[in-house]
Amino acid sequence: MAVPVSGLQVWLDDNARVLRLAGPLRSALALPAQAQGRLQDYVQPCSLLVLEGEPMDWQGQPLDLDFKAAGGTTLHTRGWLQQHAGQWLLQVFDVGDLLQHRQQSLIAERQRHLTSHLACAVRDCSIECLEAVAKEQLQWLARHWQASAVQVLLQGAEGWQTYVASGEIVHGIADSVLSPLLDHMAPGQVYSSAAHPDLHLLFAARPASFVPYASGLQVKAWLLCGGPGAPLVGAEALSIFGAYAEPLVSRLVAFELEQQSERLDSLQVQLRAGWWQWRLITPNLQLDPGLAQRLGVPAQLTLSQWLSRVHPADREAAQLALGQLQCEGRDLELTLRLLDNNLQANPRWYRLCGQVRGNGPQRRLQGLMLDISDSKAQQLQAAAAQARLENLIASSPAVIYIQRYSEGALYAEFFSASLQPMLGWETPQEGVLQPGQWVHPQDQSLWLERTRTLLREGQVRSRYRLRDRQGDYHWVLDEARLLRDDLGLPVEVVGIWLDVSEATEAAEKMRESEERYRVLVEDSPAMICRYTPSLELVFGNQPLADYLECSPAQLPGINLGQWMSQTQRVAFVERLASLTPEQPVSTAEICLQLPGREHAWWVWSDRGLFDEHGKLLEIQAVGRDNTQVRRTRQQLVQSAKMATLGEMATGLAHEINQPLNVMRMAVVNALKRLENGEAQVDYLQEKLTRIDAQVQRASRVVEHMRVFGRRSEVDQQLFAPWQAVEGALSLLADGLRGKGVDLRVDAPQELLQVSGHQDQLEQVLINLLVNARDALLARREGGLLEPWIALRLEQDERQVRLLVEDNGGGIDPRLLERIFEPFFTTKPVGVGTGLGLSVSYGIVDAMGGCLSVENAAEGARFCIELPVHSTS
Ligand code: ADP
């Protein structure tokens, strides 16, 4: 058998002792120290398994043997054992290449599997789990590389930042320290901290490997790997980390983009904005879908379709601006109105912006549309409000001004346009004028004080005169306020001048007129005062003070009521209560008990002052002393009374004579009987009783006359008017009857009361009865008359009427109006005084009643009407 010349031939004996070596590979072997060694001494320990037993056992099967080669390397061989000339021949060939190849493809296969596993895990998980999955895969990778710690850094806002980590490599080295180093490291190779001087400084104690992942020329992620496995082998590490980082980075980028676009969308919606684009190679404009929906147009529309939505007033401007953008590339910025679907309702305002982007077929117009209707509406409202305000200021007699503050001084900066109509000055240019030069010379100190107060207290209100263009002065009311900045430092003064010339002049006139009235009031002979509803004086003039015996200054606080009787005061307050805003005036004669005087009678006119609810606040009063007049009148009444008494003297003589006669007769008869000795006790008793009755009758008459002749009480009393009728009759009845006059007296059932003086009313009735008697007697002289006088009383809730009628033929109608005049009489001189009816009229009037007369069927009928005193 031919011996091959390739490979390695080893001749062995039955005990596997090497007899001879041959073949080209022989030189590569590391020969054992002793010669004639066994085959086992030539091979690596791992091959010993194959060589168990004796050569006899090894034949007929392929043998893979790893020989120890020179330099400590291994020679991978495969061969067979066969018998050859009583020896064993081991023929092996070098299969190192083959093995290496297989090894490599195995590694490649494992790496493929690993990378696809990593890529799938990172790519397929949900975005929410991405970080957790990335960490899990990283841990797996660490185990694979037998690294103690791994860390992935991604490019963030502040440079390289750790995304996920397992174990800690950098020992507290912050991302911010690492980041600038990583920035300077190029992609495409794995860095070892041992080989890199900067990294070495940081990682001296624990070496680490830095594996980049790049897309294009830019590194997108770094893997830091530390521990026993480091440094990593370049290509494998790059590829495995690439498989991990590529989906991670792209997913994070996609997620970030998605979020960005979401934010943009929401921003567009919130701003009511949207993008638009026109690729010039297509006929259609493209709109942001949200915007298109809001406008109610398709997202793709032709230029003319879009222009048809632009308000006609803005259409040409929009067309021109788009043309300029398209042809000249001039940026577009336009405010326009867009009509909505039905083209009717209020158009909305949009801001349209645009730019040219790209070149060639990519050239396009791109921009933004922003709904500014709200701010436009506010702008229009503000403009309208400002116009209104300006108009108002311009047409009002007010000037608004601003003074700028600088180093303790104020400089005029602005005057509203109303300066011209108010003062005739043109609005001055900024800072050229000090309004102080318009101030009246006499008011300049006021002006300076105003500025000082303003700076000190922050606000001021003052009044001074300003000169206008014609040289005339205007009174202005100046209200100014100092505005300060955030630090409290003065910035400017805002003020307003109000032309108050008219008001000031009016106030001056008012003051003058008040002064005149004050003098009038002070010097008036009448009493003038003001007092509260509780009768307390607020003010009184000199005459009033004189009456009350004090000075005018002492008057306020004095109560008028203290000078009045209880009845007077009640009546006075009642009268005030009857004042109303509609009828605020009332006049009455009041009676006061003044210091050092008997009685004072004042004619007193009150005028009530009311608030808006009609409540009486104060009373102004004018009074005149009527005491003298009153006294005279009283004297008149008294003298009239006396006259009446005088007139009645005849009647009275009869009144007294009558009982005297009766008494004389009784006495004469009684004496006769006594003389004759016939005086019986009974008889004498009867006569004496009659005399007593007549004495009483006479004394009643005398007593009544005494009462009647007295002066009236000052205060009015309550009494039943019929009592006065009875009083008058007690004086006159007998006399009248004696003259043949028939007295027809009709006494009433119920007696209502009136207020006044009973004796005075009695006097009136006496006058009426005496007049009636005179008329009757005068008439009877001529013929057969049966004279009568009728007295009756009519009454209702409000008034009492006393009627005195006779059949004396009445009064000549021509004289009817005059009979109440004083001194009017138709009686002969020395008989009539002409005062009876005049005084009677005054008395009834003073009682608040009325005396009237008319001609009845047979004679005059006098009527005394009196108000019934109401108890309520
Ligand atoms: P005198 O009685 O003193 O004249 P009077 O004032 O009492 O004054 O009366 C004025 C006048 O009115 C009388 O003069 C008389 O002419 C007239 N007169 C008054 N009462 C009557 C009467 N009852 N009938 C007719 N005339 C009367």
Side-chain angles (χ1 to χ4, degrees), residues 647 768 771-772 774-775 806 810-811 819 824-827 831-838 860 862:
E647 267 181 59
L768 298 181
N771 280 344
D774 290 349
D806 59 59
I811 304 156
I819 59 163
F824 176 82
T825 179
T826 57
K827 294 171 191 170
V831 178
T833 59
L835 282 175
L837 285 181
S838 152
F862 284 83

Side-chain angles (χ1 to χ4, degrees), residues 12-231:
L12 303 170
D13 63 10
D14 287 340
N15 293 323
R17 226 181 327 267
V18 175
L19 301 174
R20 189 162 61 93
L21 293 163
L25 289 178
R26 188 186 52 171
S27 57
L29 293 186
L31 297 175
Q34 73 275 29
Q36 296 281 309
R38 300 186 66 209
L39 180 59
Q40 282 87 335
D41 299 328
Y42 287 79
V43 298
Q44 296 284 14
C46 60
S47 297
L48 292 179
L49 272 177
V50 181
L51 300 179
E52 258 179 32
E54 311 234 305
M56 173 76 92
D57 307 325
W58 306 338
Q59 66 172 337
Q61 55 181 316
L63 296 174
D64 287 342
L65 295 174
D66 292 344
F67 282 91
K68 296 173 183 170
T73 58
T74 303
L75 180 65
H76 300 286
T77 65
R78 171 168 286 189
W80 302 266
L81 188 75
Q82 52 190 274
Q83 253 184 340
H84 195 276
Q87 293 179 344
W88 297 97
L89 171 63
L90 176 67
Q91 172 66 51
V92 296
F93 299 95
D94 184 355
V95 293
D97 285 353
L98 211 67
L99 274 181
Q100 198 185 355
H101 207 69
R102 221 180 77 198
Q103 188 71 27
Q104 275 175 351
S105 65
L106 252 176
I107 289 172
E109 179 55 31
R110 261 178 50 205
Q111 203 172 312
R112 245 196 323 278
H113 181 74
L114 179 67
T115 53
S116 83
H117 169 79
L118 278 175
C120 284
V122 176
R123 191 184 300 119
D124 297 341
C125 67
S126 70
I127 191 75
E128 290 79 22
C129 305
L130 184 63
E131 193 173 336
V133 170
K135 183 163 186 175
E136 187 184 284
Q137 294 305 309
L138 188 69
Q139 285 165 343
W140 189 83
L141 206 57
R143 281 198 298 278
H144 174 73
W145 277 329
Q146 294 169 351
S148 62
V150 277
Q151 190 169 341
V152 173
L153 291 109
L154 298 177
Q155 188 70 270
E158 291 160 20
W160 292 101
Q161 288 175 328
T162 303
Y163 177 63
V164 282
S166 166
E168 197 181 358
I169 304 169
V170 293
H171 301 294
I173 299 175
D175 290 348
S176 54
V177 176
L178 212 50
S179 190
L181 296 175
L182 294 175
D183 274 343
H184 291 107
M185 286 154 66
Q189 60 168 311
V190 176
Y191 292 82
S192 157
S193 62
H196 196 284
D198 290 338
L199 294 176
H200 182 70
L201 278 175
L202 280 172
F203 295 95
R206 293 178 66 185
S209 300
F210 289 72
V211 186
Y213 159 71
S215 166
L217 289 174
Q218 223 185 340
V219 182
K220 300 282 185 191
W222 280 101
L223 172 74
L224 268 69
C225 184

Side-chain angles (χ1 to χ4, degrees), residues 551-846:
S551 72
Q554 290 171 314
L555 287 176
I558 288 182
N559 197 299
L560 283 177
Q562 66 180 290
W563 316 118
M564 298 177 198
S565 71
Q566 168 72 13
T567 332
Q568 283 275 344
R569 193 163 53 241
V570 169
F572 193 87
V573 172
E574 257 176 30
R575 197 170 53 78
L576 289 186
S578 70
L579 298 182
T580 60
E582 292 75 34
Q583 289 205 326
V585 182
S586 150
T587 303
E589 191 174 38
I590 59 171
C591 175
L592 295 104
Q593 181 77 52
L594 293 181
R597 283 165 161 240
E598 202 181 324
H599 281 104
W601 292 91
W602 288 352
V603 174
W604 194 253
S605 276
D606 288 308
R607 187 180 215 292
L609 301 177
F610 298 86
D611 69 7
E612 67 270 32
H613 306 297
K615 186 176 170 229
L616 183 62
L617 297 178
E618 201 182 82
I619 301 103
Q620 293 178 339
V622 179
R624 170 170 59 80
D625 188 354
N626 205 36
T627 316
Q628 206 50 49
V629 177
R630 179 88 186 192
R631 273 215 190 107
T632 315
R633 202 166 62 209
Q634 262 178 352
Q635 276 164 5
L636 199 62
V637 171
Q638 195 60 26
S639 38
K641 225 187 228 179
M642 290 306 155
T644 310
L645 277 177
E647 267 181 59
M648 291 189 323
T650 344
L652 283 171
H654 174 79
E655 282 294 310
I656 296 174
N657 233 0
Q658 194 66 17
L660 284 177
N661 277 336
V662 174
M663 283 191 280
R664 199 167 60 86
M665 288 297 293
V667 170
V668 168
N669 289 338
L671 282 175
K672 259 185 198 163
R673 289 278 177 110
L674 282 171
E675 280 169 13
N676 297 341
E678 295 166 5
Q680 303 288 319
V681 175
D682 287 357
Y683 178 79
L684 287 177
Q685 208 166 8
E686 191 253 326
K687 289 295 165 203
L688 285 174
T689 313
R690 181 177 293 174
I691 290 168
D692 184 45
Q694 292 308 312
V695 169
Q696 278 184 26
R697 181 180 158 190
S699 69
R700 260 209 312 277
V701 172
V702 172
E703 173 62 15
H704 196 92
M705 277 179 65
R706 220 160 48 82
V707 171
F708 181 71
R710 268 210 309 258
R711 276 168 184 268
S712 300
E713 295 284 330
V714 173
D715 280 344
Q716 296 194 334
Q717 313 281 329
L718 288 183
F719 67 97
W722 194 255
Q723 283 172 357
V725 175
E726 282 173 348
L729 284 177
S730 74
L731 291 177
L732 296 181
D734 285 347
L736 286 171
R737 284 197 195 100
K739 293 228 166 5
V741 177
D742 179 16
L743 278 177
R744 300 175 180 175
V745 180
D746 203 357
Q749 300 295 319
E750 192 190 0
L751 296 177
L752 289 179
Q753 290 200 308
V754 296
S755 164
H757 301 284
Q758 187 184 325
D759 59 337
Q760 291 185 355
L761 183 61
E762 216 167 274
Q763 189 185 346
V764 173
L765 285 161
I766 289 170
N767 272 330
L768 298 181
L769 288 171
V770 168
N771 280 344
R773 180 201 66 192
D774 290 349
L776 287 170
L777 294 183
R779 199 171 175 209
R780 203 172 55 173
E781 279 167 13
L784 291 167
L785 177 75
E786 288 180 7
W788 55 260
I789 300 176
L791 271 160
R792 69 174 197 280
L793 186 141
E794 287 176 4
Q795 60 189 23
D796 58 31
E797 284 165 7
R798 286 186 295 118
Q799 58 181 8
V800 172
R801 277 183 303 283
L802 283 171
L803 296 156
V804 181
E805 192 176 339
D806 59 59
N807 62 340
I811 304 156
D812 183 341
R814 286 167 300 178
L815 305 179
L816 262 182
E817 283 184 5
R818 297 191 53 203
I819 59 163
F820 295 110
E821 285 176 15
F823 309 111
F824 176 82
T825 179
T826 57
K827 294 171 191 170
V829 182
V831 178
T833 59
L835 282 175
L837 285 181
S838 152
V839 169
S840 299
Y841 188 90
I843 290 171
V844 176
D845 187 56

